[in-house]
């Protein structure tokens, strides 16, 4: 038992020696840059009342907070994010102050999410908050400070993408969407999940023009970096004002010689609702998540009783250290594909060949190589089991992956679903003996066997509102009801012949499935031109073949 207690819990780690020394040096360099701009350090508690991080204020869902109770029964939460804590402090100690307030911080944040799937649940963040300044110059100060902070750490290969939260809000307001649908769309558009956006929009009674612009915002082949293009697509004052402000910011950054580090994207959306102006993220190759996130939040302090404009950003030091360790790996030269073994890989390679992207090494069936390279085109391929493809893509080991929709839904990885390739079509269904149909009509508690427990839970809990016992099986799930292990199964159905031969049938259809293209969010920004061109050509080929 004592040996088990020597290991840390999942998601946290010890840091010592040379690595810890590097971390302290990075923090020292960044803090020096922040203080040179006049920012003064502030320290906030590691835990606060839960209300400080409520849905309207915080960036982390309540279910993902570490929560506990004090002796008086108050619900407390470990800090997932510094901004609400700093906003509370400013409202408490600077209520009457109207001059600009510059504060900076360093400390650890905590996220209790199973979706992190092996990533750190405790990370170190450094950041700044600028209060009482509504100007575009304040926006520019943030971007310039991000650039100088990252450069001071030794990072050279990075890009800051800048958007405007009001652009998306204006479009949704003009379309007349309700808040629940906007929230769902915001989540999909922020992740550039094009296919889910299209599927959701088909269910909404919107004008064709409203649907088209929202689809374009989720489409990585669209160009929202051109201010004139973005202005032409938006026909409402709120969005047009957002374009004007971002164009002004662009000129200020150009005057300050920051243009080589930034690009603009008015289709950029944050899933967090408290942003009211510019939003931005900094990316570097080899790391699957943004190194820096920030934006303007002019209404947040009002939640704590003070009306004041504000803008800030946070650097995730742990991600920055990972980026520094990988920036000289040479991976930037290549576009890397992860393909699920079998028919999906073969069909995908056939499509790519039509575009002139080939890899002769992969045609050698006797080869035992794991990675196949076309040096002329600077592309790499590797084959893996289907469920592993989203993992490689999320962590940035692969830029692009091709895998079934079922795997995307089941693995729940942070990837961008950008294209339906139209092959590998089948259905995810609830199946069982005909006698089980009655059990699905009355919300009775039943046993469900499946290789896809997450999809099964989502369907029964969130769509049917039925309580179930999930039994995970890896082999022939049809045996579940036959051997009376389960009442029904949730599984992929292509022809249904296996079901019929064993006295089973499709009872309900959950969703259609097919092969999808997924992209790493960081690669989408760092290799934007190559990936946009590739997805655009693939889409044209798929559209031609489907006619």
């Amino acid at each position: 038992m004592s040996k088990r207690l020597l290991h840390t819990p999942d998601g946290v780690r010890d840091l010592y020696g040379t690595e810890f020394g590097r971390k302290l040096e990075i923090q020292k360099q960044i803090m020096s840059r922040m203080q040179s701009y006049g920012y003064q350090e502030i320290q906030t508690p590691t835990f606060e009342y839960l209300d400080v991080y409520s849905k309207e204020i915080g960036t982390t869902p309540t279910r993902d907070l570490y929560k506990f109770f004090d002796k008086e029964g108050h619900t407390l939460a470990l800090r997932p994010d510094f901004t609400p804590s700093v906003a509370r402090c400013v409202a408490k100690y600077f209520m009457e102050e109207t001059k600009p307030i510059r504060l900076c911080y360093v400390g650890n944040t905590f996220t209790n999410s199973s979706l992190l799937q092996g990533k750190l649940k405790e990370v170190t963040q450094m950041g700044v908050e600028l209060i009482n300044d509504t100007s575009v110059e304040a926006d520019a100060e943030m971007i310039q400070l991000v650039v100088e902070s990252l450069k001071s750490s030794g990072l050279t290969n990075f890009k800051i993408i800048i958007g405007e939260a009001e652009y998306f809000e204006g479009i949704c307001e003009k379309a007349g969407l309700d808040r629940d649908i906007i929230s769902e769309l915001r989540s999909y558009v922020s992740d550039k999940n094009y296919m889910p956006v299209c599927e959701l929009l088909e269910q909404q009674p919107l004008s064709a023009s409203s649907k088209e612009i929202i689809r374009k915002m989720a489409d990585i082949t669209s160009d929202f970096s051109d201010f004139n293009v973005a202005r032409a697509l938006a026909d409402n004052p709120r969005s047009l004002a957002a374009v004007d402000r971002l164009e002004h910011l662009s000129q200020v950054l150009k005057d300050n010689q920051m243009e080589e580090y930034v690009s603009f994207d008015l289709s950029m959306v944050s899933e967090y609702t408290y942003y009211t102006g510019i939003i931005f993220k900094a990316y570097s190759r080899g790391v699957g998540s943004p190194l820096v996130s920030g934006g303007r939040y002019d209404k947040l302090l009002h939640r704590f009783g003070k009306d004041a404009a504000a803008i800030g950003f946070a650097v995730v030091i742990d991600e920055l250290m990972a980026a520094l360790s990988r920036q000289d790996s040479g991976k930037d030269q290549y576009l890397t594909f992860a393909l699920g073994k079998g028919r999906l890989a073969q069909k995908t390679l056939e499509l790519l060949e039509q575009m002139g992207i080939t890899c002769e090494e992969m045609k050698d069936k006797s080869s035992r190589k794991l990675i196949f390279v076309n040096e002329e085109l600077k592309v790499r391929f590797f084959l893996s089991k289907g469920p592993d493809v989203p993992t490689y893509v999320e962590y940035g080991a692969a830029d692009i992956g091709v895998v079934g929709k079922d795997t995307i839904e089941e693995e729940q990885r942070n990837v961008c679903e950008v294209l339906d390739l139209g092959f590998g079509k089948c259905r995810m269904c609830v199946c069982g003996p005909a006698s089980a149909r009655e059990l699905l009509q009355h919300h009775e508690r039943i046993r469900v066997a499946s290789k896809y427990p997450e999809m099964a839970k989502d369907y029964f809990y969130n769509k049917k509102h039925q309580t179930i016992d999930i039994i995970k099986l890896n082999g022939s799930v049809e045996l579940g009801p036959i051997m009376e292990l389960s009442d029904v199964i949730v599984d992929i159905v292509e022809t249904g012949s296996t079901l019929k031969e064993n006295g089973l049938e499709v009872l309900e259809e959950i969703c259609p499935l097919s092969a999808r293209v997924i992209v790493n969010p960081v690669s989408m920004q760092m290799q934007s031109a190559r990936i946009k061109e590739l997805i655009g050509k693939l889409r044209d080929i798929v559209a031609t073949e489907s006619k």
Side-chain angles (χ1 to χ4, degrees), residues 271-284:
E271 60 185 296
Y272 307 130
T273 59
Y274 69 45
Y275 286 121
T276 58
I278 76 159
I279 48 179
F280 53 90
K281 294 182 178 181
Y283 298 92
S284 181

Side-chain angles (χ1 to χ4, degrees), residues 422-439:
F423 57 80
K425 289 186 176 181
C426 48
R427 301 172 292 159
M428 185 66 73
C429 298
V430 180
C431 310
S435 59
R437 193 179 298 275
E438 185 72 14
L439 297 174

Side-chain angles (χ1 to χ4, degrees), residues 50 53-55 59-67 75 77 112:
L50 178 63
Y53 305 113
S54 68
K55 180 180 179 182
T59 59
T60 304
T62 302
R63 67 177 182 275
D64 293 338
L65 299 175
Y66 281 98
K67 299 180 287 289
T75 305
N112 185 23

Side-chain angles (χ1 to χ4, degrees), residues 489-531:
I489 62 173
V490 168
D491 200 18
I492 294 173
V493 176
E494 193 167 356
T495 64
S497 57
T498 303
L499 294 173
K500 291 177 183 178
E501 290 181 14
N502 290 280
L504 307 176
E505 61 184 67
V506 173
L507 303 175
E508 294 178 356
E509 181 174 326
I510 296 177
C511 64
L513 305 172
S514 57
R516 306 293 171 96
V517 178
I518 56 176
V519 179
N520 172 265
V522 176
S523 300
M524 187 178 291
Q525 301 297 343
M526 298 299 291
Q527 297 231 50
S528 176
R530 290 187 74 184
I531 291 176

Side-chain angles (χ1 to χ4, degrees), residues 365-381:
K365 301 300 181 183
S366 64
S367 175
R368 301 186 66 83
K369 294 182 68 173
L370 297 176
I371 300 176
F372 305 92
V373 183
N374 183 322
E375 287 290 354
E376 182 181 354
L377 298 175
K378 295 300 179 185
V379 293
R380 307 192 303 176
F381 297 88

Side-chain angles (χ1 to χ4, degrees), residues 47-61:
F47 58 88
E48 302 248 16
Y49 288 118
L50 178 63
D51 289 348
V52 172
Y53 305 113
S54 68
K55 180 180 179 182
E56 296 80 11
I57 297 174
T59 59
T60 304

Side-chain angles (χ1 to χ4, degrees), residues 447-462:
R447 282 185 175 182
V448 179
S450 183
K451 298 176 185 176
Y452 305 93
E454 294 301 324
M455 292 191 73
K457 283 193 291 186
D458 178 66
Y459 178 69
F460 279 96
Y461 292 168
N462 299 325

